[in-house]
Amino acid sequence: MANIILLGPPGAGKGTQAKRLEETRGMVQLSTGDMLREARTSGTEMGRKVAEVMDRGQLVTDEIVIGLIEEKLTRGAAGGFIFDGFPRTLPQADALQSLLARMGQGLDAVIEMRVDDAALVARITGRFTCGACGAVYHDATKPTAVEGTCDACGSHDLRRRADDTEDALKTRLMEYYKKTSPLIGYYWAKGKLVSVDGLAEMDHVSEAIAKILDKA
Ligand code: AP5
């Protein structure tokens, strides 16, 4: 069992690798992006505010995301947790440490997915996902076998995200460098940081992560 964080800018491949780890290792993905996308459809005032912030590419408040994670962390996962897109700020990182400690657990590794910003525009603007099962696709690098049908579950509910535009991506990257990248030094100082080449082919990235987990 291992608890890990996948850390990297938008489009680094965090969601893609988290889904693979769920399938291959029985780990549980906790994506604050997915939780917030669910919250924005709730029809509440909070959901409306969250939608506005996300569509601009800015970060939602620490209070909201920490609350969402806290709700999910009431008990452990047999294969361990994959934190995808959380933490994104230093207060979130401190909150995660406290929440895990309360469960008598800790973090085994923080995997930084290194990518080149130039590659991210193509990755983000070509991405689509399955609304039913969350499988991630790409127009050029990972199309569905049958157009309009999810390979994993057969659903026809394939969607593009409102924040997957070049303009919103610029804001998302600025937010990443200002507020999230300090976590690289934070976890390095704690001896938890390991980096992988996020620009490698998907299977090679999976192999690199598997090696890290085998040692954890
Ligand atoms: P979130 O949903 O977390 O988005 P993100 O971090 O911007 O990351 P993405 O989901 O865009 O990218 P990814 O790294 O998962 O890449 P993927 O695998 O899909 O957050 C969205 C918003 O919610 C934030 O902007 C913020 O507003 C809010 N939010 C969320 N968490 C928050 C928090 N903790 N605090 C505050 N606010 C928060 O891959 C991308 C594409 O590339 C896909 O098409 C895929 O097929 C392709 N691809 C993947 N790997 C490869 C590869 N190796 N080679 C070629 N193509 C690849």
Side-chain angles (χ1 to χ4, degrees), residues 11 13-16 32 37 58 85 88 92 127 137 172 200:
K14 305 180 295 291
T16 298
T32 39
R37 276 183 285 281
Q58 292 169 336
R88 262 174 149 101
Q92 291 181 23
R127 170 173 53 187
Y137 297 98
R172 288 160 69 190

Side-chain angles (χ1 to χ4, degrees), residues 180-200:
T180 308
S181 65
L183 295 181
I184 295 170
Y186 173 93
Y187 284 119
W188 178 83
K190 286 180 179 287
K192 299 288 180 198
L193 192 79
V194 201
S195 301
V196 298
D197 177 11
L199 285 178

Side-chain angles (χ1 to χ4, degrees), residues 17-27 82 206 210 213:
Q17 296 300 330
K19 289 268 172 306
R20 289 180 172 207
L21 289 169
E22 281 199 317
E23 280 162 25
T24 55
R25 296 195 176 236
M27 297 174 78
I82 310 151
S206 302
L213 286 173

Side-chain angles (χ1 to χ4, degrees), residues 14-209:
K14 305 180 295 291
T16 298
Q17 296 300 330
K19 289 268 172 306
R20 289 180 172 207
L21 289 169
E22 281 199 317
E23 280 162 25
T24 55
R25 296 195 176 236
M27 297 174 78
V28 173
Q29 175 193 21
L30 292 182
S31 157
T32 39
D34 288 347
M35 292 173 206
L36 289 165
R37 276 183 285 281
E38 208 179 301
R40 61 184 282 166
T41 61
S42 62
T44 60
E45 180 60 12
M46 189 271 256
R48 196 186 55 75
K49 281 192 184 145
V50 161
E52 274 176 23
V53 172
M54 288 176 85
D55 291 353
R56 281 201 300 269
Q58 292 169 336
L59 292 191
V60 173
T61 63
D62 288 338
E63 194 191 359
I64 291 178
V65 282
I66 291 168
L68 288 171
I69 283 285
E70 195 170 5
E71 271 175 35
K72 303 278 177 187
L73 280 186
T74 48
R75 58 199 152 116
F81 290 111
I82 310 151
F83 296 96
D84 163 7
F86 180 91
R88 262 174 149 101
T89 62
L90 291 166
Q92 291 181 23
D94 288 337
L96 178 60
Q97 186 172 337
S98 307
L99 289 170
L100 286 171
R102 207 164 70 187
M103 295 160 62
Q105 293 189 26
L107 273 175
D108 296 282
V110 177
I111 303 176
E112 180 203 5
M113 303 183 69
R114 284 206 179 146
V115 283
D116 171 355
D117 288 357
L120 298 179
V121 178
R123 280 199 186 178
I124 288 291
T125 54
R127 170 173 53 187
F128 56 99
T129 54
C130 173
C133 74
V136 187
Y137 297 98
H138 190 277
D139 294 325
T141 55
K142 196 177 184 296
T144 52
V146 178
E147 202 183 330
T149 306
C150 174
D151 295 352
C153 75
S155 167
H156 301 298
D157 180 13
L158 299 176
R159 305 174 181 181
R160 289 183 196 267
R161 278 169 41 180
D163 59 345
D164 275 354
T165 62
E166 273 195 67
D167 269 356
L169 177 62
K170 278 185 200 144
T171 310
R172 288 160 69 190
L173 279 173
M174 292 282 276
E175 291 281 83
Y176 178 78
Y177 289 115
K178 272 197 290 191
K179 298 174 184 167
T180 308
S181 65
L183 295 181
I184 295 170
Y186 173 93
Y187 284 119
W188 178 83
K190 286 180 179 287
K192 299 288 180 198
L193 192 79
V194 201
S195 301
V196 298
D197 177 11
L199 285 178
E201 282 177 26
M202 287 177 209
D203 288 349
H204 292 165
V205 180
S206 302
E207 281 163 24
I209 293 175

